[in-house]
Short mmCIF file of all heavy atoms in Angstrom, two decimals:
data_model
loop_
_atom_site.label_atom_id
_atom_site.label_comp_id
_atom_site.label_asym_id
_atom_site.label_seq_id
_atom_site.Cartn_x
_atom_site.Cartn_y
_atom_site.Cartn_z
N ALA C 169 274.28 14.13 145.74
CA ALA C 169 275.40 13.22 145.91
C ALA C 169 275.87 13.07 147.35
O ALA C 169 276.59 12.14 147.68
CB ALA C 169 276.58 13.68 145.04
N ILE C 170 275.48 13.98 148.24
CA ILE C 170 276.01 13.88 149.60
C ILE C 170 275.15 12.95 150.45
O ILE C 170 274.00 12.71 150.12
CB ILE C 170 276.09 15.27 150.26
CG1 ILE C 170 274.69 15.84 150.44
CG2 ILE C 170 276.96 16.19 149.46
CD1 ILE C 170 274.71 17.07 151.29
N PRO C 171 275.70 12.43 151.54
CA PRO C 171 274.89 11.54 152.38
C PRO C 171 273.65 12.26 152.88
O PRO C 171 273.70 13.44 153.23
CB PRO C 171 275.83 11.20 153.55
CG PRO C 171 277.18 11.49 153.08
CD PRO C 171 277.06 12.58 152.06
N THR C 172 272.54 11.54 152.93
CA THR C 172 271.29 12.14 153.35
C THR C 172 271.39 12.71 154.75
O THR C 172 270.83 13.78 155.03
CB THR C 172 270.16 11.10 153.30
OG1 THR C 172 270.26 10.39 152.09
CG2 THR C 172 268.81 11.78 153.37
N VAL C 173 272.08 12.00 155.63
CA VAL C 173 272.13 12.49 157.01
C VAL C 173 272.88 13.82 157.08
O VAL C 173 272.56 14.68 157.89
CB VAL C 173 272.77 11.46 157.96
CG1 VAL C 173 271.90 10.24 158.06
CG2 VAL C 173 274.16 11.09 157.52
N VAL C 174 273.86 13.98 156.22
CA VAL C 174 274.59 15.24 156.21
C VAL C 174 273.67 16.37 155.76
O VAL C 174 273.63 17.44 156.38
CB VAL C 174 275.83 15.16 155.29
CG1 VAL C 174 276.45 16.53 155.11
CG2 VAL C 174 276.84 14.20 155.88
N SER C 175 272.89 16.12 154.71
CA SER C 175 271.98 17.16 154.26
C SER C 175 270.95 17.45 155.34
O SER C 175 270.58 18.60 155.56
CB SER C 175 271.31 16.77 152.95
OG SER C 175 270.58 15.59 153.10
N ALA C 176 270.52 16.40 156.04
CA ALA C 176 269.56 16.62 157.14
C ALA C 176 270.17 17.56 158.17
O ALA C 176 269.52 18.48 158.67
CB ALA C 176 269.20 15.29 157.78
N LEU C 177 271.44 17.35 158.51
CA LEU C 177 272.07 18.19 159.51
C LEU C 177 272.25 19.62 159.03
O LEU C 177 272.09 20.57 159.80
CB LEU C 177 273.42 17.58 159.91
CG LEU C 177 273.25 16.31 160.74
CD1 LEU C 177 274.58 15.59 160.91
CD2 LEU C 177 272.65 16.64 162.09
N LEU C 178 272.56 19.78 157.76
CA LEU C 178 272.68 21.13 157.22
C LEU C 178 271.37 21.89 157.41
O LEU C 178 271.35 23.05 157.85
CB LEU C 178 273.03 21.09 155.73
CG LEU C 178 274.40 20.56 155.34
CD1 LEU C 178 274.58 20.64 153.84
CD2 LEU C 178 275.50 21.33 156.03
N TRP C 179 270.27 21.22 157.09
CA TRP C 179 268.98 21.88 157.20
C TRP C 179 268.57 22.06 158.65
O TRP C 179 267.94 23.05 159.02
CB TRP C 179 267.91 21.10 156.43
CG TRP C 179 268.03 21.36 154.97
CD1 TRP C 179 268.84 20.72 154.09
CD2 TRP C 179 267.36 22.37 154.24
NE1 TRP C 179 268.72 21.27 152.84
CE2 TRP C 179 267.81 22.28 152.90
CE3 TRP C 179 266.42 23.35 154.58
CZ2 TRP C 179 267.35 23.13 151.92
CZ3 TRP C 179 265.94 24.18 153.58
CH2 TRP C 179 266.41 24.08 152.25
N ARG C 180 268.94 21.12 159.48
CA ARG C 180 268.64 21.26 160.91
C ARG C 180 269.31 22.52 161.44
O ARG C 180 268.73 23.29 162.20
CB ARG C 180 269.14 20.04 161.66
CG ARG C 180 269.05 20.18 163.16
CD ARG C 180 268.01 19.29 163.75
NE ARG C 180 267.64 19.78 165.09
CZ ARG C 180 266.75 19.21 165.87
NH1 ARG C 180 266.13 18.14 165.46
NH2 ARG C 180 266.49 19.71 167.05
N PHE C 181 270.54 22.70 161.03
CA PHE C 181 271.29 23.87 161.48
C PHE C 181 270.59 25.15 161.08
O PHE C 181 270.52 26.12 161.85
CB PHE C 181 272.71 23.82 160.93
CG PHE C 181 273.55 24.97 161.34
CD1 PHE C 181 273.80 25.23 162.69
CD2 PHE C 181 274.11 25.82 160.40
CE1 PHE C 181 274.57 26.30 163.08
CE2 PHE C 181 274.89 26.89 160.79
CZ PHE C 181 275.12 27.14 162.13
N MET C 182 270.04 25.16 159.87
CA MET C 182 269.41 26.39 159.40
C MET C 182 268.10 26.69 160.12
O MET C 182 267.70 27.84 160.25
CB MET C 182 269.17 26.33 157.90
CG MET C 182 270.47 26.28 157.12
SD MET C 182 270.24 26.71 155.39
CE MET C 182 269.15 25.43 154.88
N PHE C 183 267.43 25.63 160.59
CA PHE C 183 266.14 25.83 161.22
C PHE C 183 266.21 25.78 162.74
O PHE C 183 265.21 25.90 163.42
CB PHE C 183 265.15 24.74 160.77
CG PHE C 183 264.47 25.03 159.47
CD1 PHE C 183 265.10 24.76 158.27
CD2 PHE C 183 263.20 25.59 159.45
CE1 PHE C 183 264.48 25.04 157.06
CE2 PHE C 183 262.56 25.86 158.25
CZ PHE C 183 263.20 25.58 157.05
N GLU C 184 267.41 25.63 163.27
CA GLU C 184 267.57 25.33 164.69
C GLU C 184 267.31 26.53 165.57
O GLU C 184 267.70 27.65 165.26
CB GLU C 184 269.00 24.82 164.93
CG GLU C 184 269.29 24.47 166.37
CD GLU C 184 268.80 23.08 166.74
OE1 GLU C 184 267.90 22.58 166.07
OE2 GLU C 184 269.33 22.50 167.70
N GLY C 185 266.63 26.25 166.66
CA GLY C 185 266.49 27.25 167.72
C GLY C 185 265.83 28.54 167.28
O GLY C 185 265.07 28.59 166.31
N GLN C 186 266.11 29.58 168.01
CA GLN C 186 265.47 30.85 167.70
C GLN C 186 266.28 31.65 166.70
O GLN C 186 265.77 32.55 166.05
CB GLN C 186 265.35 31.69 168.97
CG GLN C 186 264.42 31.09 169.98
CD GLN C 186 264.26 32.03 171.16
OE1 GLN C 186 264.97 33.04 171.25
NE2 GLN C 186 263.33 31.74 172.04
N HIS C 187 267.55 31.32 166.62
CA HIS C 187 268.44 32.19 165.86
C HIS C 187 269.02 31.53 164.63
O HIS C 187 269.98 32.03 164.08
CB HIS C 187 269.58 32.67 166.76
CG HIS C 187 269.09 33.42 167.96
ND1 HIS C 187 268.46 34.63 167.87
CD2 HIS C 187 269.07 33.08 169.28
CE1 HIS C 187 268.12 35.03 169.09
NE2 HIS C 187 268.47 34.11 169.96
N GLY C 188 268.43 30.43 164.23
CA GLY C 188 268.88 29.84 162.98
C GLY C 188 268.64 30.83 161.85
O GLY C 188 267.81 31.74 161.96
N ILE C 189 269.34 30.66 160.79
CA ILE C 189 269.30 31.64 159.71
C ILE C 189 267.90 31.80 159.14
O ILE C 189 267.48 32.89 158.75
CB ILE C 189 270.31 31.24 158.60
CG1 ILE C 189 270.37 32.31 157.51
CG2 ILE C 189 269.93 29.92 157.97
CD1 ILE C 189 271.08 33.54 157.92
N ILE C 190 267.13 30.73 159.12
CA ILE C 190 265.78 30.82 158.58
C ILE C 190 264.93 31.75 159.43
O ILE C 190 264.26 32.65 158.92
CB ILE C 190 265.12 29.42 158.53
CG1 ILE C 190 265.90 28.51 157.59
CG2 ILE C 190 263.67 29.54 158.11
CD1 ILE C 190 265.71 28.79 156.14
N ASN C 191 265.00 31.55 160.73
CA ASN C 191 264.24 32.42 161.62
C ASN C 191 264.68 33.86 161.48
O ASN C 191 263.86 34.78 161.42
CB ASN C 191 264.38 31.96 163.07
CG ASN C 191 263.30 30.94 163.42
OD1 ASN C 191 262.24 30.93 162.82
ND2 ASN C 191 263.57 30.11 164.39
N ARG C 192 265.99 34.07 161.41
CA ARG C 192 266.50 35.43 161.26
C ARG C 192 265.95 36.05 159.98
O ARG C 192 265.51 37.19 159.98
CB ARG C 192 268.03 35.41 161.18
CG ARG C 192 268.71 34.78 162.35
CD ARG C 192 268.99 35.75 163.44
NE ARG C 192 269.37 37.03 162.89
CZ ARG C 192 269.84 38.04 163.59
NH1 ARG C 192 270.01 37.88 164.87
NH2 ARG C 192 270.15 39.19 163.04
N GLY C 193 265.98 35.26 158.92
CA GLY C 193 265.49 35.79 157.65
C GLY C 193 264.01 36.13 157.72
O GLY C 193 263.57 37.21 157.29
N LEU C 194 263.22 35.22 158.31
CA LEU C 194 261.78 35.47 158.41
C LEU C 194 261.49 36.71 159.25
O LEU C 194 260.64 37.53 158.92
CB LEU C 194 261.08 34.24 159.02
CG LEU C 194 260.91 33.04 158.10
CD1 LEU C 194 260.26 31.90 158.85
CD2 LEU C 194 260.10 33.42 156.89
N LEU C 195 262.21 36.84 160.38
CA LEU C 195 261.99 37.99 161.24
C LEU C 195 262.30 39.28 160.51
O LEU C 195 261.54 40.22 160.56
CB LEU C 195 262.86 37.86 162.50
CG LEU C 195 262.31 36.92 163.57
CD1 LEU C 195 263.32 36.74 164.69
CD2 LEU C 195 261.01 37.49 164.13
N GLN C 196 263.41 39.26 159.82
CA GLN C 196 263.82 40.49 159.17
C GLN C 196 262.91 40.86 158.02
O GLN C 196 262.62 42.03 157.82
CB GLN C 196 265.24 40.32 158.63
CG GLN C 196 266.27 40.75 159.65
CD GLN C 196 267.66 40.74 159.06
OE1 GLN C 196 267.86 40.37 157.92
NE2 GLN C 196 268.62 41.16 159.85
N MET C 197 262.45 39.84 157.27
CA MET C 197 261.65 40.18 156.09
C MET C 197 260.18 40.34 156.40
O MET C 197 259.40 40.65 155.52
CB MET C 197 261.89 39.14 155.01
CG MET C 197 263.30 39.22 154.52
SD MET C 197 263.50 38.51 152.90
CE MET C 197 264.10 36.90 153.33
N GLY C 198 259.78 40.05 157.64
CA GLY C 198 258.46 40.48 158.05
C GLY C 198 257.34 39.51 158.30
O GLY C 198 256.51 39.78 159.13
N PRO C 199 257.21 38.40 157.61
CA PRO C 199 256.00 37.60 157.74
C PRO C 199 255.67 37.22 159.18
O PRO C 199 254.53 37.04 159.53
CB PRO C 199 256.25 36.36 156.90
CG PRO C 199 257.60 36.47 156.35
CD PRO C 199 258.14 37.81 156.63
N VAL C 200 256.68 37.09 160.01
CA VAL C 200 256.39 36.76 161.41
C VAL C 200 257.12 37.73 162.32
O VAL C 200 258.12 38.35 161.93
CB VAL C 200 256.84 35.32 161.76
CG1 VAL C 200 256.04 34.32 160.98
CG2 VAL C 200 258.31 35.17 161.48
N ASP C 201 256.59 37.90 163.56
CA ASP C 201 257.32 38.77 164.47
C ASP C 201 257.88 38.01 165.65
O ASP C 201 258.40 38.59 166.58
CB ASP C 201 256.41 39.91 164.95
CG ASP C 201 255.01 39.41 165.20
OD1 ASP C 201 254.36 38.99 164.23
OD2 ASP C 201 254.56 39.45 166.36
N GLN C 202 257.68 36.71 165.62
CA GLN C 202 258.28 35.89 166.66
C GLN C 202 258.97 34.70 165.99
O GLN C 202 258.41 34.12 165.06
CB GLN C 202 257.19 35.35 167.58
CG GLN C 202 256.68 36.35 168.60
CD GLN C 202 256.70 35.70 169.94
OE1 GLN C 202 256.13 34.63 170.15
NE2 GLN C 202 257.40 36.32 170.89
N PRO C 203 260.14 34.32 166.48
CA PRO C 203 260.81 33.17 165.85
C PRO C 203 259.98 31.89 166.05
O PRO C 203 259.39 31.70 167.09
CB PRO C 203 262.15 33.07 166.58
CG PRO C 203 261.95 33.79 167.84
CD PRO C 203 260.94 34.86 167.60
N ILE C 204 259.94 31.09 165.03
CA ILE C 204 259.21 29.81 165.12
C ILE C 204 260.16 28.75 165.62
O ILE C 204 261.26 28.59 165.09
CB ILE C 204 258.69 29.39 163.73
CG1 ILE C 204 257.84 30.51 163.13
CG2 ILE C 204 257.86 28.12 163.84
CD1 ILE C 204 257.39 30.22 161.73
N ILE C 205 259.75 28.04 166.65
CA ILE C 205 260.58 26.92 167.10
C ILE C 205 260.11 25.70 166.31
O ILE C 205 259.18 25.00 166.69
CB ILE C 205 260.42 26.68 168.61
CG1 ILE C 205 260.60 27.98 169.37
CG2 ILE C 205 261.42 25.64 169.06
CD1 ILE C 205 261.98 28.61 169.19
N TRP C 206 260.74 25.48 165.21
CA TRP C 206 260.27 24.51 164.26
C TRP C 206 260.16 23.12 164.83
O TRP C 206 259.16 22.42 164.61
CB TRP C 206 261.19 24.48 163.03
CG TRP C 206 261.30 25.80 162.36
CD1 TRP C 206 262.22 26.77 162.61
CD2 TRP C 206 260.45 26.30 161.35
NE1 TRP C 206 261.99 27.86 161.82
CE2 TRP C 206 260.92 27.59 161.01
CE3 TRP C 206 259.33 25.80 160.67
CZ2 TRP C 206 260.31 28.38 160.06
CZ3 TRP C 206 258.73 26.58 159.71
CH2 TRP C 206 259.22 27.87 159.41
N PHE C 207 261.15 22.72 165.58
CA PHE C 207 261.22 21.31 165.92
C PHE C 207 260.40 20.95 167.15
O PHE C 207 260.35 19.80 167.55
CB PHE C 207 262.67 20.87 166.10
CG PHE C 207 263.45 21.00 164.81
CD1 PHE C 207 264.37 22.02 164.66
CD2 PHE C 207 263.23 20.12 163.77
CE1 PHE C 207 265.06 22.15 163.46
CE2 PHE C 207 263.91 20.25 162.57
CZ PHE C 207 264.83 21.27 162.42
N ILE C 208 259.75 21.95 167.73
CA ILE C 208 258.88 21.65 168.86
C ILE C 208 257.46 21.44 168.38
O ILE C 208 256.65 20.78 168.99
CB ILE C 208 258.90 22.83 169.87
CG1 ILE C 208 260.34 23.12 170.28
CG2 ILE C 208 258.05 22.50 171.06
CD1 ILE C 208 260.86 22.24 171.36
N ASP C 209 257.16 22.03 167.25
CA ASP C 209 255.78 22.00 166.76
C ASP C 209 255.57 20.82 165.82
O ASP C 209 256.27 20.68 164.83
CB ASP C 209 255.51 23.32 166.01
CG ASP C 209 254.08 23.41 165.54
OD1 ASP C 209 253.61 22.47 164.86
OD2 ASP C 209 253.43 24.40 165.89
N PRO C 210 254.59 19.96 166.11
CA PRO C 210 254.40 18.76 165.29
C PRO C 210 254.08 19.07 163.82
O PRO C 210 254.36 18.24 162.95
CB PRO C 210 253.24 18.03 165.95
CG PRO C 210 252.63 18.99 166.88
CD PRO C 210 253.66 19.99 167.25
N HIS C 211 253.52 20.23 163.55
CA HIS C 211 253.23 20.53 162.14
C HIS C 211 254.39 21.25 161.48
O HIS C 211 254.76 20.95 160.37
CB HIS C 211 251.96 21.38 162.04
CG HIS C 211 250.75 20.69 162.57
ND1 HIS C 211 250.25 19.55 162.00
CD2 HIS C 211 249.98 20.95 163.64
CE1 HIS C 211 249.19 19.14 162.69
NE2 HIS C 211 249.01 19.97 163.69
N ALA C 212 254.93 22.22 162.22
CA ALA C 212 256.03 23.00 161.64
C ALA C 212 257.23 22.12 161.35
O ALA C 212 258.01 22.39 160.44
CB ALA C 212 256.41 24.12 162.59
N ALA C 213 257.38 21.03 162.12
CA ALA C 213 258.56 20.18 161.94
C ALA C 213 258.61 19.58 160.54
O ALA C 213 259.66 19.20 160.06
CB ALA C 213 258.57 19.07 162.99
N TRP C 214 257.45 19.49 159.88
CA TRP C 214 257.46 18.93 158.54
C TRP C 214 258.15 19.84 157.52
O TRP C 214 258.65 19.38 156.51
CB TRP C 214 256.03 18.67 158.07
CG TRP C 214 255.46 17.40 158.61
CD1 TRP C 214 254.49 17.26 159.53
CD2 TRP C 214 255.88 16.07 158.26
NE1 TRP C 214 254.24 15.96 159.78
CE2 TRP C 214 255.08 15.19 159.02
CE3 TRP C 214 256.83 15.54 157.38
CZ2 TRP C 214 255.22 13.81 158.92
CZ3 TRP C 214 256.95 14.17 157.29
CH2 TRP C 214 256.15 13.32 158.07
N VAL C 215 258.12 21.13 157.81
CA VAL C 215 258.66 22.05 156.81
C VAL C 215 260.13 21.77 156.50
O VAL C 215 260.49 21.60 155.34
CB VAL C 215 258.46 23.52 157.26
CG1 VAL C 215 259.16 24.46 156.31
CG2 VAL C 215 256.98 23.83 157.34
N PRO C 216 261.00 21.73 157.52
CA PRO C 216 262.39 21.42 157.17
C PRO C 216 262.55 20.04 156.55
O PRO C 216 263.40 19.85 155.66
CB PRO C 216 263.14 21.50 158.51
CG PRO C 216 262.10 21.52 159.56
CD PRO C 216 260.86 22.03 158.95
N ILE C 217 261.73 19.08 156.96
CA ILE C 217 261.86 17.74 156.39
C ILE C 217 261.58 17.79 154.89
O ILE C 217 262.36 17.30 154.06
CB ILE C 217 260.90 16.76 157.07
CG1 ILE C 217 261.28 16.55 158.53
CG2 ILE C 217 260.89 15.43 156.34
CD1 ILE C 217 260.37 15.60 159.27
N ILE C 218 260.46 18.37 154.54
CA ILE C 218 260.10 18.39 153.13
C ILE C 218 261.07 19.25 152.33
O ILE C 218 261.50 18.87 151.23
CB ILE C 218 258.65 18.86 152.97
CG1 ILE C 218 257.74 17.81 153.60
CG2 ILE C 218 258.31 19.09 151.51
CD1 ILE C 218 256.29 18.03 153.38
N LEU C 219 261.42 20.40 152.88
CA LEU C 219 262.37 21.24 152.17
C LEU C 219 263.68 20.51 151.91
O LEU C 219 264.24 20.58 150.82
CB LEU C 219 262.63 22.53 152.96
CG LEU C 219 261.58 23.61 152.80
CD1 LEU C 219 261.99 24.84 153.60
CD2 LEU C 219 261.44 23.97 151.33
N ALA C 220 264.16 19.83 152.96
CA ALA C 220 265.44 19.13 152.80
C ALA C 220 265.33 18.06 151.72
O ALA C 220 266.24 17.89 150.90
CB ALA C 220 265.86 18.49 154.13
N ASP C 221 264.22 17.33 151.69
CA ASP C 221 264.07 16.28 150.69
C ASP C 221 263.98 16.87 149.29
O ASP C 221 264.61 16.38 148.35
CB ASP C 221 262.83 15.44 151.00
CG ASP C 221 262.84 14.15 150.21
OD1 ASP C 221 263.69 13.29 150.50
OD2 ASP C 221 262.03 14.01 149.28
N VAL C 222 263.20 17.94 149.17
CA VAL C 222 263.08 18.58 147.86
C VAL C 222 264.44 19.09 147.41
O VAL C 222 264.86 18.89 146.27
CB VAL C 222 262.06 19.74 147.92
CG1 VAL C 222 262.13 20.57 146.66
CG2 VAL C 222 260.66 19.19 148.11
N TRP C 223 265.16 19.71 148.32
CA TRP C 223 266.48 20.25 148.00
C TRP C 223 267.42 19.16 147.50
O TRP C 223 268.18 19.32 146.55
CB TRP C 223 267.05 20.91 149.25
CG TRP C 223 268.44 21.43 149.13
CD1 TRP C 223 268.82 22.61 148.57
CD2 TRP C 223 269.64 20.82 149.62
NE1 TRP C 223 270.18 22.78 148.67
CE2 TRP C 223 270.70 21.68 149.32
CE3 TRP C 223 269.91 19.63 150.29
CZ2 TRP C 223 272.02 21.39 149.67
CZ3 TRP C 223 271.22 19.35 150.63
CH2 TRP C 223 272.25 20.23 150.31
N LYS C 224 267.29 18.00 148.12
CA LYS C 224 268.23 16.95 147.81
C LYS C 224 267.89 16.20 146.53
O LYS C 224 268.78 15.79 145.80
CB LYS C 224 268.29 15.95 148.96
CG LYS C 224 269.42 14.98 148.83
CD LYS C 224 269.56 14.13 150.05
CE LYS C 224 270.90 13.44 150.07
NZ LYS C 224 271.19 12.65 148.85
N THR C 225 266.62 15.98 146.26
CA THR C 225 266.29 15.10 145.15
C THR C 225 265.76 15.78 143.91
O THR C 225 265.69 15.15 142.86
CB THR C 225 265.26 14.04 145.57
OG1 THR C 225 264.31 14.64 146.42
CG2 THR C 225 265.93 12.89 146.26
N THR C 226 265.40 17.07 143.99
CA THR C 226 264.96 17.74 142.77
C THR C 226 265.98 17.62 141.65
O THR C 226 265.61 17.38 140.50
CB THR C 226 264.62 19.22 143.04
OG1 THR C 226 263.59 19.28 144.01
CG2 THR C 226 264.15 19.89 141.77
N PRO C 227 267.29 17.74 141.92
CA PRO C 227 268.26 17.60 140.82
C PRO C 227 268.12 16.28 140.09
O PRO C 227 268.20 16.23 138.86
CB PRO C 227 269.61 17.66 141.55
CG PRO C 227 269.36 18.33 142.82
CD PRO C 227 267.94 18.06 143.20
N PHE C 228 267.90 15.19 140.82
CA PHE C 228 267.77 13.89 140.20
C PHE C 228 266.57 13.85 139.27
O PHE C 228 266.64 13.42 138.13
CB PHE C 228 267.65 12.84 141.31
CG PHE C 228 267.43 11.46 140.81
CD1 PHE C 228 268.43 10.81 140.10
CD2 PHE C 228 266.25 10.79 141.06
CE1 PHE C 228 268.24 9.52 139.63
CE2 PHE C 228 266.06 9.50 140.61
CZ PHE C 228 267.05 8.87 139.90
N VAL C 229 265.44 14.37 139.78
CA VAL C 229 264.24 14.42 138.95
C VAL C 229 264.49 15.29 137.73
O VAL C 229 264.11 14.95 136.60
CB VAL C 229 263.05 14.97 139.77
CG1 VAL C 229 261.84 15.14 138.88
CG2 VAL C 229 262.73 14.04 140.91
N ALA C 230 265.14 16.43 137.96
CA ALA C 230 265.40 17.34 136.85
C ALA C 230 266.22 16.64 135.78
O ALA C 230 265.97 16.80 134.59
CB ALA C 230 266.12 18.59 137.35
N LEU C 231 267.21 15.86 136.20
CA LEU C 231 268.04 15.17 135.23
C LEU C 231 267.24 14.17 134.41
O LEU C 231 267.38 14.08 133.19
CB LEU C 231 269.16 14.42 135.95
CG LEU C 231 270.35 15.27 136.32
CD1 LEU C 231 271.39 14.39 136.95
CD2 LEU C 231 270.92 15.94 135.09
#
Side-chain angles (χ1 to χ4, degrees):
Chain C
I170 65 170
T172 315
V173 295
V174 171
S175 60
L177 289 170
L178 293 182
W179 282 85
R180 172 111 199 180
F181 180 60
M182 294 198 298
F183 276 82
E184 180 82 337
Q186 294 185 351
H187 301 293
I189 185 73
I190 297 286
N191 271 334
R192 303 271 323 189
L194 284 178
L195 280 173
Q196 269 187 357
M197 293 201 263
V200 295
D201 39 295
Q202 281 230 306
I204 305 176
I205 310 298
W206 302 91
F207 297 106
I208 305 277
D209 184 306
H211 298 296
W214 279 110
V215 173
I217 294 180
I218 294 188
L219 279 182
D221 194 69
V222 169
W223 176 81
K224 191 173 196 306
T225 39
T226 301
F228 177 66
V229 175
L231 278 183

